[in-house]
mmCIF file with all atom_site columns, all heavy atoms in Angstrom:
data_model
loop_
_atom_site.group_PDB
_atom_site.id
_atom_site.type_symbol
_atom_site.label_atom_id
_atom_site.label_alt_id
_atom_site.label_comp_id
_atom_site.label_asym_id
_atom_site.label_entity_id
_atom_site.label_seq_id
_atom_site.pdbx_PDB_ins_code
_atom_site.Cartn_x
_atom_site.Cartn_y
_atom_site.Cartn_z
_atom_site.occupancy
_atom_site.B_iso_or_equiv
_atom_site.pdbx_formal_charge
_atom_site.auth_seq_id
_atom_site.auth_comp_id
_atom_site.auth_asym_id
_atom_site.auth_atom_id
_atom_site.pdbx_PDB_model_num
ATOM 1   N N   . PHE A 1 323 ? -49.727 16.335 -64.870 1.00 0.00 ? 1518 PHE A N   1
ATOM 2   C CA  . PHE A 1 323 ? -50.374 16.856 -66.055 1.00 0.00 ? 1518 PHE A CA  1
ATOM 3   C C   . PHE A 1 323 ? -51.510 16.041 -66.585 1.00 0.00 ? 1518 PHE A C   1
ATOM 4   O O   . PHE A 1 323 ? -52.300 16.480 -67.450 1.00 0.00 ? 1518 PHE A O   1
ATOM 5   C CB  . PHE A 1 323 ? -49.322 16.997 -67.188 1.00 0.00 ? 1518 PHE A CB  1
ATOM 6   C CG  . PHE A 1 323 ? -48.637 15.711 -67.652 1.00 0.00 ? 1518 PHE A CG  1
ATOM 7   C CD1 . PHE A 1 323 ? -49.220 14.869 -68.558 1.00 0.00 ? 1518 PHE A CD1 1
ATOM 8   C CD2 . PHE A 1 323 ? -47.434 15.351 -67.076 1.00 0.00 ? 1518 PHE A CD2 1
ATOM 9   C CE1 . PHE A 1 323 ? -48.626 13.665 -68.972 1.00 0.00 ? 1518 PHE A CE1 1
ATOM 10  C CE2 . PHE A 1 323 ? -46.794 14.174 -67.484 1.00 0.00 ? 1518 PHE A CE2 1
ATOM 11  C CZ  . PHE A 1 323 ? -47.441 13.363 -68.392 1.00 0.00 ? 1518 PHE A CZ  1
ATOM 12  N N   . LEU A 1 324 ? -51.722 14.865 -65.973 1.00 0.00 ? 1519 LEU A N   1
ATOM 13  C CA  . LEU A 1 324 ? -52.824 13.975 -66.392 1.00 0.00 ? 1519 LEU A CA  1
ATOM 14  C C   . LEU A 1 324 ? -54.064 14.171 -65.522 1.00 0.00 ? 1519 LEU A C   1
ATOM 15  O O   . LEU A 1 324 ? -55.124 13.566 -65.822 1.00 0.00 ? 1519 LEU A O   1
ATOM 16  C CB  . LEU A 1 324 ? -52.412 12.522 -66.323 1.00 0.00 ? 1519 LEU A CB  1
ATOM 17  C CG  . LEU A 1 324 ? -51.290 12.080 -67.282 1.00 0.00 ? 1519 LEU A CG  1
ATOM 18  C CD1 . LEU A 1 324 ? -50.925 10.633 -67.059 1.00 0.00 ? 1519 LEU A CD1 1
ATOM 19  C CD2 . LEU A 1 324 ? -51.677 12.306 -68.718 1.00 0.00 ? 1519 LEU A CD2 1
ATOM 20  N N   . CYS A 1 325 ? -54.037 15.012 -64.520 1.00 0.00 ? 1520 CYS A N   1
ATOM 21  C CA  . CYS A 1 325 ? -55.139 15.152 -63.581 1.00 0.00 ? 1520 CYS A CA  1
ATOM 22  C C   . CYS A 1 325 ? -56.268 16.023 -64.208 1.00 0.00 ? 1520 CYS A C   1
ATOM 23  O O   . CYS A 1 325 ? -56.006 17.050 -64.834 1.00 0.00 ? 1520 CYS A O   1
ATOM 24  C CB  . CYS A 1 325 ? -54.688 15.838 -62.262 1.00 0.00 ? 1520 CYS A CB  1
ATOM 25  S SG  . CYS A 1 325 ? -53.829 14.672 -61.216 1.00 0.00 ? 1520 CYS A SG  1
ATOM 26  N N   . HIS A 1 326 ? -57.527 15.566 -64.050 1.00 0.00 ? 1521 HIS A N   1
ATOM 27  C CA  . HIS A 1 326 ? -58.694 16.248 -64.553 1.00 0.00 ? 1521 HIS A CA  1
ATOM 28  C C   . HIS A 1 326 ? -59.824 15.979 -63.565 1.00 0.00 ? 1521 HIS A C   1
ATOM 29  O O   . HIS A 1 326 ? -59.924 14.921 -62.997 1.00 0.00 ? 1521 HIS A O   1
ATOM 30  C CB  . HIS A 1 326 ? -59.046 15.741 -65.976 1.00 0.00 ? 1521 HIS A CB  1
ATOM 31  C CG  . HIS A 1 326 ? -60.106 16.549 -66.630 1.00 0.00 ? 1521 HIS A CG  1
ATOM 32  N ND1 . HIS A 1 326 ? -61.428 16.201 -66.510 1.00 0.00 ? 1521 HIS A ND1 1
ATOM 33  C CD2 . HIS A 1 326 ? -60.039 17.689 -67.364 1.00 0.00 ? 1521 HIS A CD2 1
ATOM 34  C CE1 . HIS A 1 326 ? -62.162 17.080 -67.180 1.00 0.00 ? 1521 HIS A CE1 1
ATOM 35  N NE2 . HIS A 1 326 ? -61.335 17.947 -67.728 1.00 0.00 ? 1521 HIS A NE2 1
ATOM 36  N N   . ALA A 1 327 ? -60.706 16.946 -63.420 1.00 0.00 ? 1522 ALA A N   1
ATOM 37  C CA  . ALA A 1 327 ? -61.801 16.821 -62.451 1.00 0.00 ? 1522 ALA A CA  1
ATOM 38  C C   . ALA A 1 327 ? -62.726 15.673 -62.786 1.00 0.00 ? 1522 ALA A C   1
ATOM 39  O O   . ALA A 1 327 ? -63.355 15.098 -61.878 1.00 0.00 ? 1522 ALA A O   1
ATOM 40  C CB  . ALA A 1 327 ? -62.568 18.147 -62.423 1.00 0.00 ? 1522 ALA A CB  1
ATOM 41  N N   . SER A 1 328 ? -62.804 15.244 -64.035 1.00 0.00 ? 1523 SER A N   1
ATOM 42  C CA  . SER A 1 328 ? -63.676 14.205 -64.425 1.00 0.00 ? 1523 SER A CA  1
ATOM 43  C C   . SER A 1 328 ? -63.176 12.821 -64.042 1.00 0.00 ? 1523 SER A C   1
ATOM 44  O O   . SER A 1 328 ? -63.968 11.850 -64.011 1.00 0.00 ? 1523 SER A O   1
ATOM 45  C CB  . SER A 1 328 ? -63.917 14.199 -65.967 1.00 0.00 ? 1523 SER A CB  1
ATOM 46  O OG  . SER A 1 328 ? -62.666 13.843 -66.587 1.00 0.00 ? 1523 SER A OG  1
ATOM 47  N N   . TYR A 1 329 ? -61.897 12.755 -63.690 1.00 0.00 ? 1524 TYR A N   1
ATOM 48  C CA  . TYR A 1 329 ? -61.329 11.445 -63.324 1.00 0.00 ? 1524 TYR A CA  1
ATOM 49  C C   . TYR A 1 329 ? -60.488 11.516 -62.075 1.00 0.00 ? 1524 TYR A C   1
ATOM 50  O O   . TYR A 1 329 ? -60.653 10.713 -61.171 1.00 0.00 ? 1524 TYR A O   1
ATOM 51  C CB  . TYR A 1 329 ? -60.493 10.905 -64.507 1.00 0.00 ? 1524 TYR A CB  1
ATOM 52  C CG  . TYR A 1 329 ? -59.906 9.538  -64.137 1.00 0.00 ? 1524 TYR A CG  1
ATOM 53  C CD1 . TYR A 1 329 ? -60.718 8.417  -64.188 1.00 0.00 ? 1524 TYR A CD1 1
ATOM 54  C CD2 . TYR A 1 329 ? -58.567 9.379  -63.781 1.00 0.00 ? 1524 TYR A CD2 1
ATOM 55  C CE1 . TYR A 1 329 ? -60.200 7.194  -63.838 1.00 0.00 ? 1524 TYR A CE1 1
ATOM 56  C CE2 . TYR A 1 329 ? -58.115 8.166  -63.441 1.00 0.00 ? 1524 TYR A CE2 1
ATOM 57  C CZ  . TYR A 1 329 ? -58.874 7.055  -63.469 1.00 0.00 ? 1524 TYR A CZ  1
ATOM 58  O OH  . TYR A 1 329 ? -58.366 5.795  -63.152 1.00 0.00 ? 1524 TYR A OH  1
ATOM 59  N N   . CYS A 1 330 ? -59.608 12.530 -61.976 1.00 0.00 ? 1525 CYS A N   1
ATOM 60  C CA  . CYS A 1 330 ? -58.720 12.516 -60.832 1.00 0.00 ? 1525 CYS A CA  1
ATOM 61  C C   . CYS A 1 330 ? -58.341 13.954 -60.485 1.00 0.00 ? 1525 CYS A C   1
ATOM 62  O O   . CYS A 1 330 ? -57.481 14.590 -61.107 1.00 0.00 ? 1525 CYS A O   1
ATOM 63  C CB  . CYS A 1 330 ? -57.418 11.780 -61.217 1.00 0.00 ? 1525 CYS A CB  1
ATOM 64  S SG  . CYS A 1 330 ? -56.221 11.746 -59.952 1.00 0.00 ? 1525 CYS A SG  1
ATOM 65  N N   . ALA A 1 331 ? -58.973 14.492 -59.540 1.00 0.00 ? 1526 ALA A N   1
ATOM 66  C CA  . ALA A 1 331 ? -58.741 15.881 -59.103 1.00 0.00 ? 1526 ALA A CA  1
ATOM 67  C C   . ALA A 1 331 ? -57.657 15.954 -58.092 1.00 0.00 ? 1526 ALA A C   1
ATOM 68  O O   . ALA A 1 331 ? -57.800 16.492 -56.958 1.00 0.00 ? 1526 ALA A O   1
ATOM 69  C CB  . ALA A 1 331 ? -60.004 16.516 -58.580 1.00 0.00 ? 1526 ALA A CB  1
ATOM 70  N N   . SER A 1 332 ? -56.498 15.377 -58.385 1.00 0.00 ? 1527 SER A N   1
ATOM 71  C CA  . SER A 1 332 ? -55.483 15.286 -57.390 1.00 0.00 ? 1527 SER A CA  1
ATOM 72  C C   . SER A 1 332 ? -54.478 16.462 -57.342 1.00 0.00 ? 1527 SER A C   1
ATOM 73  O O   . SER A 1 332 ? -53.423 16.366 -56.793 1.00 0.00 ? 1527 SER A O   1
ATOM 74  C CB  . SER A 1 332 ? -54.674 13.968 -57.648 1.00 0.00 ? 1527 SER A CB  1
ATOM 75  O OG  . SER A 1 332 ? -55.419 12.857 -57.286 1.00 0.00 ? 1527 SER A OG  1
ATOM 76  N N   . TYR A 1 333 ? -54.880 17.566 -57.945 1.00 0.00 ? 1528 TYR A N   1
ATOM 77  C CA  . TYR A 1 333 ? -54.127 18.775 -57.838 1.00 0.00 ? 1528 TYR A CA  1
ATOM 78  C C   . TYR A 1 333 ? -54.514 19.516 -56.537 1.00 0.00 ? 1528 TYR A C   1
ATOM 79  O O   . TYR A 1 333 ? -54.044 20.685 -56.324 1.00 0.00 ? 1528 TYR A O   1
ATOM 80  C CB  . TYR A 1 333 ? -54.369 19.713 -59.044 1.00 0.00 ? 1528 TYR A CB  1
ATOM 81  C CG  . TYR A 1 333 ? -55.815 19.602 -59.558 1.00 0.00 ? 1528 TYR A CG  1
ATOM 82  C CD1 . TYR A 1 333 ? -56.864 20.265 -58.863 1.00 0.00 ? 1528 TYR A CD1 1
ATOM 83  C CD2 . TYR A 1 333 ? -56.108 18.900 -60.682 1.00 0.00 ? 1528 TYR A CD2 1
ATOM 84  C CE1 . TYR A 1 333 ? -58.141 20.154 -59.301 1.00 0.00 ? 1528 TYR A CE1 1
ATOM 85  C CE2 . TYR A 1 333 ? -57.407 18.806 -61.192 1.00 0.00 ? 1528 TYR A CE2 1
ATOM 86  C CZ  . TYR A 1 333 ? -58.490 19.451 -60.473 1.00 0.00 ? 1528 TYR A CZ  1
ATOM 87  O OH  . TYR A 1 333 ? -59.739 19.379 -60.904 1.00 0.00 ? 1528 TYR A OH  1
ATOM 88  N N   . ARG A 1 334 ? -55.317 18.876 -55.719 1.00 0.00 ? 1529 ARG A N   1
ATOM 89  C CA  . ARG A 1 334 ? -55.643 19.478 -54.420 1.00 0.00 ? 1529 ARG A CA  1
ATOM 90  C C   . ARG A 1 334 ? -54.572 19.213 -53.386 1.00 0.00 ? 1529 ARG A C   1
ATOM 91  O O   . ARG A 1 334 ? -53.880 18.148 -53.462 1.00 0.00 ? 1529 ARG A O   1
ATOM 92  C CB  . ARG A 1 334 ? -56.966 18.869 -53.931 1.00 0.00 ? 1529 ARG A CB  1
ATOM 93  C CG  . ARG A 1 334 ? -58.173 19.181 -54.830 1.00 0.00 ? 1529 ARG A CG  1
ATOM 94  C CD  . ARG A 1 334 ? -59.380 18.302 -54.483 1.00 0.00 ? 1529 ARG A CD  1
ATOM 95  N NE  . ARG A 1 334 ? -59.112 16.855 -54.679 1.00 0.00 ? 1529 ARG A NE  1
ATOM 96  C CZ  . ARG A 1 334 ? -58.899 15.979 -53.702 1.00 0.00 ? 1529 ARG A CZ  1
ATOM 97  N NH1 . ARG A 1 334 ? -58.932 16.351 -52.472 1.00 0.00 ? 1529 ARG A NH1 1
ATOM 98  N NH2 . ARG A 1 334 ? -58.678 14.730 -54.026 1.00 0.00 ? 1529 ARG A NH2 1
ATOM 99  N N   . ILE A 1 335 ? -54.340 20.069 -52.410 1.00 0.00 ? 1530 ILE A N   1
ATOM 100 C CA  . ILE A 1 335 ? -53.286 19.919 -51.427 1.00 0.00 ? 1530 ILE A CA  1
ATOM 101 C C   . ILE A 1 335 ? -53.391 18.632 -50.672 1.00 0.00 ? 1530 ILE A C   1
ATOM 102 O O   . ILE A 1 335 ? -52.405 17.953 -50.457 1.00 0.00 ? 1530 ILE A O   1
ATOM 103 C CB  . ILE A 1 335 ? -53.239 21.110 -50.460 1.00 0.00 ? 1530 ILE A CB  1
ATOM 104 C CG1 . ILE A 1 335 ? -52.784 22.403 -51.246 1.00 0.00 ? 1530 ILE A CG1 1
ATOM 105 C CG2 . ILE A 1 335 ? -52.264 20.835 -49.293 1.00 0.00 ? 1530 ILE A CG2 1
ATOM 106 C CD1 . ILE A 1 335 ? -52.842 23.612 -50.358 1.00 0.00 ? 1530 ILE A CD1 1
#
Side-chain angles (χ1 to χ4, degrees):
F1518 60 84
L1519 296 178
C1520 283
H1521 188 268
S1523 67
Y1524 181 74
C1525 178
S1527 289
Y1528 37 74
R1529 298 168 296 105
I1530 293 175

